[in-house]
Amino acid sequence: MPYAPDSTDRASRTVTVLWMVTTLTVFLLMITFGITMRLAQGQAVNLNPGTFYALMTMHGLGMVGSLFSAGLAIIWFISVGYTKLSVGLMRFALALFIIGAAGLLAATVIGRFGPGWYLLYPLPFVNPTWPQWSIGLAIISLMLMGVSWLVIQLDILRGLAARFGASKLLGWQYMSRTPPAEELPAPVLVVVVCAIAGVIGTLIGAATFAIYLFKWFAPAAAFDPLLLKNSMLMFGHIIANLAMYCGIGAVYAYLPTYTKRSWHLNRITMLAWNATLIFILGAYFHHLYQDFAQPEGLQYAGQILSYMSAIPATAVTVFGVGSQVYGAGLRWTFTPLAFFLGILGWVIGGIAAVVDSTIAVNRVFHNTLWVPAHFHTYFLVGFVFLMLGFLHRLVASTSQRLSSASLWAMVVGGYGFVLMFYLGGLYGVPRRYSTYGNLTFGGLDKIGAHLALGGATFASVFLLGALGFTISLMRRSAGKPAAG
């Protein structure tokens, strides 16, 4: 029988729905912030630089934080299908996330905390235009969200270790020529890789923010900016990429319930995901190509690891999806279609990321809109579609027509939106600029403004589609699991 790790526990399903609805709400709010920024860059609305960078800070941190949280909720629910996890801890983690998100919103929107989503040291503390309380509130809020993530990931690893054995969670038993006595479900391997890498990334982020908090309490303290840049970008890179991998876990777990085919784990798949676990921890070096102070070997390692991290999991997943779908007579309802489109967005965004991680290309593209183009691709038309497919299945939406129409609106809006970013990168339009009015050379002021307005228009189409999907969720069979 195909794997279908659905929990029959109503409490587990309810808390997962609460997590997904909370993160979806934050996601929709962050879209409005993004549209506002693109309208400002297109000179359609007026935003002073302080407001623009505060919105940019909240948009980046809120978007990555909410989508990663949604990813953790997905792998938590998958895990509950195999073992007993603590619903109480999940509720506690949700409360911490909500408090952290509210605090971050207050620090940025009210306090105008605006050093950018990357928070590179010592930028938040040097001659700030924002009040001191907003710095502390932002740091504490992010730490609360980190504790929330850590609680979920550790509970997942504890529960799965109790069920399958800690030594078997990474599938190393498949290296033997003798088939294992008990098969490790393929979704469990993906979940474990995400949880282990997530714990490492979260701890790195916690250590970094602890230093930031100490700096806030003791302004005279000084730390190594290059070290903190490395730790911050390693944390951010791991968290952003793991959101996508958590969504891939949903495909491994639930696509077989539509194709009626098992997705068995084998040695190749095991090796691919174990390699991904290693490569993802060091691929962040491609963010540091512009740092002349970095040891030169790390620059080359960044390109090698970036290339290697993009291949194993993608190859086995794409091949696996093809094997699942081909000749299965699959009925393309919302969830399998959203899964397929999400995989497509992941591949396209991954290719663009590999292009940017090439040192010779990065020298040209690093400070252009090509960078937000690639990560918006695998988030907006990659992970988000996987998330919505999972959520649609979870709440058993009965409005298939509305949700399907909304999905295609999001496809048109999402790809149109990222296309404006890619074109901006090709033309050399810089990223992180609040306005292009002063870029008179090469006509970049007009090019940047036109592309920004185009991006805002397409993003609005995506937002309408997302709102339509949200409405479709309200027309559901209460408490009834979706049928495969």
Side-chain angles (χ1 to χ4, degrees), residues 253-269:
Y254 302 116
L255 184 60
T257 66
Y258 297 92
T259 62
K260 307 302 181 184
R261 294 174 172 174
S262 297
W263 196 324
H264 294 290
L265 185 61
N266 55 42
R267 185 183 303 177
I268 294 175
T269 304

Side-chain angles (χ1 to χ4, degrees), residues 226 229-230 282-307 357-360 362:
L226 188 60
K229 180 175 184 179
N230 274 268
Y284 84 96
F285 287 126
H286 65 241
H287 291 284
L288 308 172
Y289 290 156
Q290 306 299 315
D291 295 343
F292 59 87
Q294 291 282 115
E296 189 173 352
L298 295 183
Q299 313 288 28
Y300 295 109
Q303 179 165 318
I304 294 171
L305 290 171
S306 296
Y307 275 52
S357 68
T358 304
I359 293 175
N362 189 267

Side-chain angles (χ1 to χ4, degrees), residues 20-236:
M20 299 304 293
V21 170
T22 300
T23 54
L24 179 61
T25 302
V26 176
F27 170 69
L28 294 176
L29 179 60
M30 294 306 102
I31 291 179
T32 63
F33 286 0
I35 292 172
T36 302
M37 287 188 291
R38 291 302 270 165
L39 288 174
Q41 291 172 325
Q43 300 178 356
V45 300
N46 291 321
L47 283 182
N48 66 61
T51 301
F52 178 92
Y53 289 112
L55 290 181
M56 187 180 78
T57 302
M58 183 64 216
H59 174 78
L61 292 171
M63 194 66 86
V64 174
S66 63
L67 295 184
F68 178 61
S69 298
L72 292 182
I74 290 172
I75 64 172
W76 185 88
F77 188 74
I78 293 172
S79 302
V80 169
Y82 296 107
T83 187
K84 179 69 174 177
L85 298 180
S86 173
V87 175
L89 275 180
M90 196 62 170
R91 293 194 186 107
F92 172 70
L94 177 58
L96 287 182
F97 173 78
I98 292 174
I99 294 171
L104 189 60
L105 194 64
T108 53
V109 176
I110 299 175
R112 294 294 190 270
F113 179 70
W117 68 269
Y118 29 84
L119 299 174
L120 295 185
Y121 179 86
L123 185 58
F125 308 98
V126 177
N127 299 321
T129 60
W130 41 84
Q132 286 294 313
W133 66 262
S134 68
I135 302 174
L137 180 58
I139 295 170
I140 293 171
S141 298
L142 290 168
M143 295 181 76
L144 288 175
M145 294 170 70
V147 172
S148 169
W149 300 336
L150 196 59
V151 165
I152 297 172
Q153 294 166 128
L154 290 176
D155 193 41
I156 289 173
L157 291 174
R158 176 205 58 79
L160 293 177
R163 168 64 180 82
F164 296 100
S167 63
K168 298 179 180 179
L169 288 184
L170 287 172
W172 294 345
Q173 61 272 25
Y174 283 85
M175 291 299 295
S176 173
R177 293 184 178 181
T178 305
E182 180 184 17
E183 182 175 5
L184 182 71
V188 170
L189 176 61
V190 180
V191 168
V192 169
V193 167
C194 291
I196 292 176
V199 167
I200 295 172
T202 304
L203 290 176
I204 292 171
T208 304
F209 287 123
I211 293 174
Y212 275 48
L213 191 61
F214 185 85
K215 172 70 174 178
W216 182 60
F217 278 118
F223 301 94
D224 186 345
L226 188 60
L227 174 62
L228 289 177
K229 180 175 184 179
N230 274 268
S231 63
M232 182 64 79
L233 288 175
M234 186 177 186
F235 160 67

Side-chain angles (χ1 to χ4, degrees), residues 189 193 252 266-279 308-309 311-317:
L189 176 61
V193 167
Y252 277 72
N266 55 42
R267 185 183 303 177
I268 294 175
T269 304
M270 180 274 293
L271 289 173
W273 280 99
N274 275 260
T276 299
L277 172 59
I278 297 172
F279 297 150
M308 296 179 75
S309 68
I311 296 173
T314 307
V316 297
T317 301

